[in-house]
Amino acid sequence: LPMTTRTEERIEEVQLEGLVALKIIKHCKESLPNIVTGVLLGLDVGTTLEVTNCFLFPSESEEDDENKEVDEVDGDSYQLDMMRCLRDVNADSNIIGWYQSTYLGSFLSESVIENQFEYQENLGKCVCIVYDPLRSAIGNLALRAFRLTSAFIAFYKRGDFTEAKLLQAGVRFQDILEEVPIRVHNSELSKAFLYDLDAERSLADPSRTEFDALELASGPMLEKSLEFLIETVDELSAEQLKFQNFQRSLQKQYSQQNQHLQKRKLENQNRKLNGLEELDIEEEIKQHPLWKPIAPPQRLESLLMANQINNYCEQLNDLAIQSFSKLYLVDAIRDGQDVHNERS
């Protein structure tokens, strides 16, 4: 990535070319169950980010399948070579973000945050597009764009993710990411082709895949999302337990220090009455090996887990709404069929 820091501006919309969306979908679907990433190219026009092209980062499995001679690919050099090739053919070569596949919405991690932070710090106006192939299989295109909020970037720059700094910054788990609306754009020729293709398909027998959106069996998706939610809640409980252990250790250390202080104060009073020199209590505490300051645990992981739990809950809510809508639709169709049968 270029190291020039640009002024960050607000992005209100991501205009995604239809061909780019198809390339992202194809790359993510063909690589299941592996998580894959790629680079987004395009232009920023005002408050709109226009994504006109993309290219993928090759994984190790892809290199083995294609029998490439290079064992390890340097991501930066590969990215620069691709941009150079795109410039040679007069294609857009401006990096405006990156994309990643996910598995039922479980994409938020420290590596993703670090990667997106580097993009926004170096490029300013950029996004991360996340595609979920499994959720898209039940009828909805699970393609979303995210970027880090300004408040979280300022907090992340400090590098101190302790509880005190977190409360001081006032950053909540909702303040980590902000979602940017995506609008899929197609050229007029593409629209004409789609209309023509739709007219031809309407004359033929409808295929089974046209009714995938009405599939009622959403139970596996709900169960898997619940499993992920339970696992993340357990991980968050483990992180909270670490923080509680830290608080207990800190309280125990304070209690021992207070007892020692009281003991030394009494001893100093006796030494003062006997005309002896008083002991330096503060210096003794500083040099005592058992009373070194206990490092507070970092709370960034807990913050990300809380955000991920919120994402799972929203996902479960959406799946439940879709399931109930389909069930009500099927129930209404059955009632209509019963009425028709009675009349006939």
Side-chain angles (χ1 to χ4, degrees):
L1 291 173
M3 297 307 296
T4 303
T5 303
R6 302 181 182 180
T7 303
E8 185 176 357
E9 299 180 13
R10 182 169 181 81
I11 300 175
E12 297 182 356
E13 183 185 56
V14 174
Q15 179 177 297
L16 186 65
E17 292 296 325
L19 179 60
V20 179
L22 291 176
K23 290 171 69 174
I24 294 174
I25 293 171
K26 181 176 182 293
H27 182 207
C28 296
K29 280 188 175 181
E30 290 179 348
S31 303
L32 279 175
N34 297 324
I35 301 299
V36 293
T37 59
V39 177
L40 302 175
L41 305 173
L43 300 169
D44 59 279
V45 182
T47 58
T48 301
L49 209 59
E50 298 181 0
V51 184
T52 58
N53 200 356
C54 69
F55 63 87
L56 56 89
F57 279 132
S59 61
E60 295 180 359
S61 59
E62 290 172 347
E63 293 175 8
D64 295 337
D65 293 338
E66 297 177 5
N67 295 323
K68 292 185 178 180
E69 297 179 357
V70 182
D71 294 330
E72 296 181 358
V73 177
D74 186 354
D76 293 336
S77 62
Y78 175 81
Q79 183 172 318
L80 292 174
D81 291 340
M82 284 295 298
M83 293 169 59
R84 190 179 300 109
C85 293
L86 290 171
R87 283 195 297 267
D88 292 340
V89 296
N90 291 328
D92 289 338
S93 59
N94 298 319
I95 298 178
I96 56 173
W98 60 295
Y99 70 87
Q100 175 182 303
S101 62
T102 182
Y103 185 75
L104 290 180
S106 56
F107 68 92
L108 195 58
S109 62
E110 289 193 30
S111 60
V112 171
I113 295 298
E114 182 180 358
N115 200 12
Q116 181 62 21
F117 174 78
E118 293 294 333
Y119 271 94
Q120 289 188 219
E121 188 70 8
N122 295 324
L123 300 177
K125 299 179 70 173
C126 58
V127 294
C128 172
I129 292 181
V130 179
Y131 175 71
D132 194 334
L134 296 181
R135 286 201 62 192
S136 300
I138 62 175
N140 290 329
L141 181 61
L143 198 64
R144 306 171 69 185
F146 296 97
R147 59 188 276 108
L148 298 177
T149 61
S150 301
F152 182 78
I153 289 178
F155 170 69
Y156 192 83
K157 283 181 180 178
R158 300 187 184 100
D160 189 356
F161 310 126
T162 58
E163 183 75 12
K165 296 297 182 181
L166 189 63
L167 294 174
Q168 181 180 355
V171 176
R172 304 171 300 168
F173 68 88
Q174 300 97 326
D175 302 327
I176 299 177
L177 296 174
E178 59 178 351
E179 185 171 0
V180 184
I182 294 180
R183 178 170 61 90
V184 179
H185 175 266
N186 290 310
S187 64
E188 299 302 326
L189 289 175
S190 300
K191 292 179 181 178
F193 173 73
L194 291 175
Y195 281 126
D196 185 60
L197 184 63
D198 184 63
E200 292 179 0
R201 289 171 62 88
S202 62
L203 298 177
D205 294 332
S207 61
R208 176 67 182 89
T209 55
E210 292 178 353
F211 297 97
D212 288 343
L214 300 177
E215 180 66 46
L216 298 177
S218 58
M221 291 287 184
L222 288 169
E223 291 175 5
K224 205 64 181 177
S225 298
L226 279 173
E227 288 180 9
F228 286 162
L229 176 60
I230 294 172
E231 290 177 2
T232 309
V233 169
D234 291 340
E235 292 175 358
L236 182 60
S237 300
E239 289 293 325
Q240 295 294 341
L241 184 60
K242 293 179 183 177
F243 185 71
Q244 292 175 3
N245 292 334
F246 160 73
Q247 289 181 319
R248 283 195 290 266
S249 300
L250 197 63
Q251 186 65 32
K252 182 179 179 181
Q253 187 183 66
Y254 285 159
S255 177
Q256 292 176 349
Q257 287 181 358
N258 289 331
Q259 292 177 2
H260 184 76
L261 284 173
Q262 295 298 328
K263 182 179 178 181
R264 284 291 184 261
K265 285 180 179 179
L266 291 175
E267 187 175 349
N268 277 340
Q269 290 178 0
N270 295 330
R271 293 174 67 90
K272 186 176 181 180
L273 293 175
N274 296 328
L276 300 176
E277 184 181 359
E278 296 183 6
L279 300 174
D280 191 349
I281 303 176
E282 294 182 359
E283 187 65 25
E284 182 181 355
I285 292 178
K286 290 180 181 180
Q287 296 180 359
H288 201 290
L290 298 179
W291 292 341
K292 291 182 179 180
I294 302 175
Q298 300 295 306
R299 305 292 290 168
L300 178 61
E301 189 68 25
S302 300
L303 201 66
L304 298 180
M305 289 179 184
N307 190 288
Q308 188 66 68
I309 289 173
N310 182 67
N311 186 29
Y312 286 143
C313 292
E314 292 178 354
Q315 182 172 275
L316 284 168
N317 186 47
D318 293 339
L319 289 173
I321 291 174
Q322 294 173 15
S323 300
F324 278 117
S325 300
K326 293 175 184 178
L327 290 173
Y328 287 138
L329 176 61
V330 172
D331 188 54
I333 293 174
R334 288 175 179 173
D335 291 342
Q337 289 178 346
D338 293 340
V339 172
H340 177 73
N341 293 333
E342 291 176 0
R343 290 179 179 178
S344 59

